[in-house]
Amino acid sequence: MSDIKDIETGTEAPAARQAPEEVPRPRGIGPLGWLRWGWRQLTTMRTALILLFLVALGAVPGSALPQRGQAPEKVAAYLSDHKTLGPFFDKLSLFDVFAAPWFAAIYILLFVSLAGCVVPRAVKHYQSMRARPPAAPRNLGRLPQSVSYETDAAPEDVLAEARKVLRGRRFRVDVSDGSAAAEKGYLGETGNLVFHLALLGLLFALGAGNMFGYRGSVLLTEGKTFANSLGQYDDFTPGRLFDDDDLAPFTIGLDDFKAKYEMQGDKRGQATSFDAWVHYRDKPSGKDEKYDLRINHPLKVGGTKVYLLGHGYAPKFTVKDAKGNVAFQDTVPFLAMEPRNLTSEGVIKVPDAEPDQLAFYGILWPTAVASEDGKQIVSAFPGALRPVITLSSFKGDLGLDSGTPQSVYKLEGIGKKLQPIKGGEKLLEPGETFKLPGNAGSITFDGMSEYVTMSVNHDPGRIPALIAAVLAVLGVATSFLVRRRRVWVRASAGKGGRTVVEVGGLTLGNPTSEFDDIVTALRGPDAPEGDDASRGEAGPDGEAGAEPEHDGTEPEKNGAAQKDGAEPEHDGTEPEQDGSEPETNGSEAEPGADRGSGSATEPKE
């Protein structure tokens, strides 16, 4: 039996029937690779735009639904009216959108995405600004703007003049290897980066303001003073990292308020001005300062801005109980029921009356007149020309001792612990007194005062946000107005002792007239009108439509050889006359590349 090694050559099994060699399976990219992939995806501009859209989309519920930070009573009413949707929305934090974890996650991801995208771009842009301008392409005639001409000046003098002209136009210039390369227009990319960096700053400033700032509303009646403490705010919304000790110890007192209205014509009753004269102190030991608080003219005090929001009437009352003691004497703010003529309603609570607590519900007409049908009273003007109040009286238990918070503008427990006084309705004018039936006491309408509502805002990120917004606008405007421009000048010795000068230009976008001005400055004012120079404009296929280049005996034409019937370029030597067509052995300079490259066409041997 012959050994297996003795098998004749050519009798082995075909390669197709042989078992293929086992190829090792590719290994996974690993945890580090997945992290790199995730970071690259997060820091793309596409992801940043998606996150920006999600931020805008997430803010919609904050505008459409009541928020606990601004109107907790409206949130409670919504939950009471919508038994199914209300709890579902509450689980999604739609009643506190801007403090919700999902909104914070989107906000932080957007910040990280923009930072990871813009900061590396800014570093590369800084490096490119300090780098040398790109070298001149071999064939300047293929550029969108190009010119060639001859001059008697030496090549060194031409390049020196090119350096002077281009630097005078604020180009960065580099002269080497018989050519000058110049570039400018980095301000456009700088503006784009400034816009994105300013957007980052804006996000950071808004976040800082929401975390460390606060916002509150105050109702202040004439003759009273507000101290900046939590207990004196009608509504207060602190930031997440706000501390009570951050409240500045300033005080504001309302001396007088005046509103002026149109008295005649179709605009009768329309307000023309609001003036609240206040006095304030930065600190308890400070000096009183005066200020005219008006719409869009906030008061700056204690690191806050105090805005005038609205106004209303606060009638003054004196209430005596059944024993004849003065149980209440103060002004009571009435809230407007309709804004045009300021018909208002208010509640007077007298918990110190004995033996029964007293309460009154009133409607105020600043300028009371009879309606057209004569059956009711209406207000004909927002000014207090003839104030009249209708009062309804109650007695019993106000429920203030139960520990349940109550609104000062609403009576609780009517018909239960608080009963209407029979015959306790009365129409009062200033100075009139109404004695309650059953010797339950009396109430006197002493006169009219006015109040203002103010908004106190402390936002440490306000000024940085304003600066960032201004920089963003300037940056985006600059990025649209400034374009990148490059110019190359090559000077070489020609025949007859003259110098051949080639000038090429490349502008991001459409060509500009600046190139023509540079060429005119390089050639000088004494250049003849009919000088043999040619300018090439790029055709649809990137080639110029000028005549082919010639050797050094004639000025060089810019542009490549035409496609149909054009002669090939010459490189200074005559091609062999063997009937063969020349072919190109170089590539065209690619507009927009950092380092242009290309070679002139050479005849084929």
Side-chain angles (χ1 to χ4, degrees):
M1 183 180 293
S2 62
D3 194 87
I4 192 171
K5 296 180 179 180
D6 298 332
I7 297 177
E8 294 184 20
T9 304
T11 61
E12 300 91 347
R17 299 181 182 179
Q18 294 179 358
E21 296 183 3
E22 185 176 355
V23 179
R25 295 181 179 180
R27 301 176 61 184
I29 61 176
L32 185 59
W34 281 109
L35 288 176
R36 290 175 179 172
W37 178 85
W39 176 255
R40 287 196 297 268
Q41 298 301 314
L42 179 61
T43 55
T44 60
M45 188 56 65
R46 180 183 66 255
T47 303
L49 292 175
I50 293 174
L51 291 172
L52 189 61
F53 172 75
L54 291 177
V55 168
L57 186 64
V60 172
S63 302
L65 296 174
Q67 300 294 294
R68 282 194 172 90
Q70 287 76 34
E73 69 284 353
K74 292 184 179 181
V75 174
Y78 189 94
L79 292 173
S80 178
D81 297 339
H82 302 80
K83 300 295 185 181
T84 303
L85 284 178
F88 177 72
F89 287 164
D90 200 14
K91 289 181 180 179
L92 297 178
S93 301
L94 297 185
F95 297 116
D96 201 4
V97 169
F98 303 106
W102 55 266
F103 189 85
I106 297 175
Y107 193 89
I108 293 173
L109 284 175
L110 175 61
F111 188 89
V112 174
S113 177
L114 285 175
C117 178
V118 175
V119 173
R121 280 182 56 196
V123 174
K124 291 182 179 180
H125 178 62
Y126 176 76
Q127 293 173 349
S128 63
M129 288 179 63
R130 296 178 60 86
R132 297 170 60 186
R138 290 185 181 181
N139 192 347
L140 295 179
R142 294 185 181 273
L143 295 177
Q145 293 177 290
S146 61
V147 166
S148 64
Y149 62 92
E150 289 187 356
T151 179
D152 293 330
E156 295 80 6
D157 297 336
V158 171
L159 295 180
E161 180 65 17
R163 178 197 292 268
K164 178 181 177 182
V165 170
L166 292 171
R167 282 190 172 178
R169 291 180 173 270
R170 300 182 181 277
F171 279 83
R172 295 188 304 114
V173 185
D174 177 59
V175 178
S176 62
D177 299 331
S179 65
E183 184 177 26
K184 75 174 181 179
Y186 275 98
L187 194 60
E189 177 65 13
T190 302
N192 185 276
L193 290 173
V194 167
F195 167 73
H196 288 90
L197 290 173
L199 185 59
L200 277 176
L202 182 62
L203 291 175
F204 181 80
L206 293 176
N210 288 330
M211 286 191 296
F212 297 100
Y214 63 86
R215 180 176 63 256
S217 59
V218 179
L219 188 149
L220 189 60
T221 307
E222 290 175 331
K224 294 190 177 182
T225 301
F226 161 75
N228 190 29
S229 61
L230 289 178
Q232 296 206 14
Y233 279 98
D234 299 315
D235 179 64
F236 189 79
T237 305
R240 293 293 173 179
L241 301 180
F242 169 77
D243 190 350
D244 295 352
D245 296 335
D246 295 337
L247 289 173
F250 64 84
T251 58
I252 301 176
L254 178 60
D255 299 324
D256 191 19
F257 176 82
K258 294 294 182 184
K260 294 182 180 179
Y261 305 95
E262 291 287 348
M263 301 298 294
Q264 297 177 351
D266 296 336
K267 296 183 179 180
R268 184 176 185 273
Q270 181 175 332
T272 58
S273 67
F274 301 100
D275 292 274
W277 285 275
V278 300
H279 63 272
Y280 65 93
R281 291 185 181 183
D282 287 330
K283 52 187 178 180
S285 60
K287 181 182 178 181
D288 270 351
E289 301 286 345
K290 301 289 185 179
Y291 190 77
D292 181 9
L293 185 62
R294 295 172 291 162
I295 301 295
N296 296 328
H297 289 79
L299 168 64
K300 299 177 182 179
V301 55
T304 67
K305 279 191 173 183
V306 182
Y307 296 88
L308 179 63
L309 296 183
H311 73 105
Y313 292 104
K316 184 177 181 180
F317 300 95
T318 299
V319 179
K320 295 182 179 180
D321 59 15
K323 297 181 179 181
N325 299 322
V326 176
F328 179 87
Q329 188 175 33
D330 202 353
T331 55
V332 179
F334 276 41
L335 301 182
M337 300 169 62
E338 52 92 12
R340 180 173 179 81
N341 293 315
L342 292 183
T343 302
S344 307
E345 62 179 349
V347 169
I348 306 109
K349 297 182 180 181
V350 190
D352 296 331
E354 295 180 356
D356 294 319
Q357 295 180 342
L358 298 176
F360 303 89
Y361 170 76
I363 297 179
L364 167 67
W365 292 278
T367 302
V369 296
S371 61
E372 293 182 358
D373 57 9
K375 295 181 179 180
Q376 58 183 357
I377 300 175
V378 295
S379 179
F381 192 75
L385 303 181
R386 189 196 172 193
V388 172
I389 290 180
T390 298
L391 292 176
S392 299
S393 308
F394 303 86
K395 68 177 181 178
D397 184 6
L398 295 173
L400 298 177
D401 298 330
S402 63
T404 303
Q406 292 187 12
S407 172
V408 296
Y409 305 106
K410 185 178 180 180
L411 291 177
E412 305 287 348
I414 296 179
K416 298 178 181 178
K417 294 184 178 181
L418 193 62
Q419 302 297 329
I421 298 177
K422 188 176 181 179
E425 294 80 18
K426 183 67 175 178
L427 186 69
L428 295 179
E429 294 186 9
E432 293 185 348
T433 299
F434 172 46
K435 291 185 178 181
L436 301 178
N439 199 25
S442 65
I443 180 170
T444 301
F445 180 17
D446 295 322
M448 294 284 289
S449 294
E450 294 187 75
Y451 69 82
V452 297
T453 54
M454 303 182 299
S455 175
V456 182
N457 293 344
H458 174 64
D459 187 0
R462 182 181 67 253
I463 300 301
L466 176 62
I467 295 174
V470 172
L471 290 177
V473 173
L474 294 177
V476 74
T478 303
S479 67
F480 283 118
L481 295 176
V482 180
R483 293 180 291 172
R484 185 80 64 84
R485 286 151 289 175
R486 290 173 178 172
V487 175
W488 294 276
V489 180
R490 179 181 289 120
S492 58
K495 292 184 178 181
R498 306 197 76 190
T499 299
V500 179
V501 182
E502 298 175 87
V503 186
L506 184 63
T507 301
L508 183 63
N510 297 325
T512 63
S513 60
E514 184 181 30
F515 178 80
D516 299 330
D517 298 337
I518 292 174
V519 172
T520 301
L522 289 176
R523 299 182 66 177
D526 299 331
E529 293 291 337
D531 196 8
D532 293 331
S534 61
R535 303 189 180 191
E537 294 294 336
D541 56 354
E543 296 184 350
E547 293 293 327
E549 287 184 10
H550 293 278
D551 54 36
T553 60
E554 293 183 12
E556 184 182 76
K557 304 290 185 179
N558 60 321
Q562 296 188 11
K563 291 184 176 180
D564 297 326
E567 297 181 1
E569 293 180 4
H570 293 273
D571 60 352
T573 61
E574 294 292 329
E576 294 182 5
Q577 303 296 327
D578 56 356
S580 60
E581 294 293 332
E583 64 178 357
T584 60
N585 62 351
S587 58
E588 296 180 0
E590 202 170 352
D594 285 343
R595 300 267 177 190
S597 63
S599 61
T601 57
E602 296 179 358
K604 184 177 180 180
E605 294 292 342

